[in-house]
Amino acid sequence: MTRDETPSTEDLVLRLLDEHGDALYRYLLVILGRVEDAEDTYQLLWSRVLSRVSKLRNPEAYLWRSARNEARRCLRRRNHFWAHQAEPLALETFPNRENPGVPLTTRIALDKALRTLPVAQQEAVALMGFEGMTAREAGMKLSCSPNTVSARYRRALIALRGRLGRQESDDG
């Protein structure tokens, strides 16, 4: 392909899917907490991207902004009961590179604690903690400054330590 040729819509979508598909799906799983909601939102996003990608100046930014907006819309649609009764994530779908021997019960406890955090903090954990993004990369995806994402991530870690620590003392 020469510099004068623009990639086809299909090529752009395939590139975006290859570069961001897995991370985007895991992000939606963390934020929505239900596999069904994550899958529905994921499909909706890609159909929107497919219909608009050729007109976008920054398809990557559009994709992540749309994912965030759709996830928040989905959360607002749920009634209060379901928002707090989300089933545990299928955490085994997340790569566990750091600690492959972490028991499923520990991972479920982490998910329950994660559900208690504000969505903005969940987003920071999903991108920086689970995806290993830098604050700058996560800030670009979330349309906020790296300092804001770092602060949200730090607050989330402090809250998670407190909640998980309390749970351990309650169990012991």
Side-chain angles (χ1 to χ4, degrees):
M1 183 180 314
T2 66
R3 280 197 285 180
D4 295 335
E5 292 179 27
T6 57
S8 70
T9 299
E10 182 179 309
D11 290 340
L12 283 170
V13 171
L14 289 174
R15 182 183 59 79
L16 286 170
L17 184 59
D18 185 50
E19 292 175 7
H20 304 282
D22 291 342
L24 186 67
Y25 180 72
R26 288 188 299 266
Y27 165 81
L28 291 169
L29 269 175
V30 169
I31 301 307
L32 298 173
R34 297 181 64 209
V35 172
E36 298 83 10
D37 290 341
E39 288 174 352
D40 290 346
T41 302
Y42 187 79
Q43 291 298 323
L44 177 64
L45 284 172
W46 287 109
S47 67
R48 285 188 179 167
V49 168
L50 184 59
S51 68
R52 295 183 176 118
V53 73
S54 62
K55 301 171 189 142
L56 300 173
R57 275 188 279 143
N58 188 342
E60 178 184 340
Y62 173 82
L63 177 65
W64 283 93
R65 188 173 50 254
S66 294
R68 186 177 198 209
N69 292 341
E70 281 304 317
R72 288 175 180 234
R73 239 180 250 123
C74 181
L75 290 172
R76 279 193 303 269
R77 281 191 305 262
R78 287 186 194 162
N79 64 32
H80 185 73
F81 175 79
W82 285 111
H84 295 288
Q85 299 295 322
E87 64 196 38
L89 285 174
L91 289 177
E92 57 275 7
T93 64
F94 287 95
N96 195 9
R97 297 176 210 106
E98 310 299 319
N99 300 301
V102 174
L104 184 59
T105 54
T106 302
R107 297 175 91 191
I108 289 172
L110 173 61
D111 180 60
K112 287 180 180 179
L114 190 62
R115 297 279 132 247
T116 66
L117 299 177
V119 173
Q121 290 180 15
Q122 291 179 31
E123 291 173 331
V125 170
L127 297 180
M128 292 179 67
F130 294 154
E131 294 302 319
M133 292 182 189
T134 65
R136 184 169 187 231
E137 292 168 331
M140 289 173 59
K141 306 278 189 262
L142 299 174
S143 301
C144 60
S145 78
N147 290 340
T148 299
V149 177
S150 290
R152 290 174 181 170
Y153 185 62
R154 278 191 308 275
R155 284 192 296 268
L157 292 180
I158 290 167
L160 289 171
R161 281 186 196 116
R163 287 176 175 100
L164 292 171
R166 265 196 313 269
Q167 183 179 359
E168 280 181 12
S169 64
D170 291 346
D171 292 344

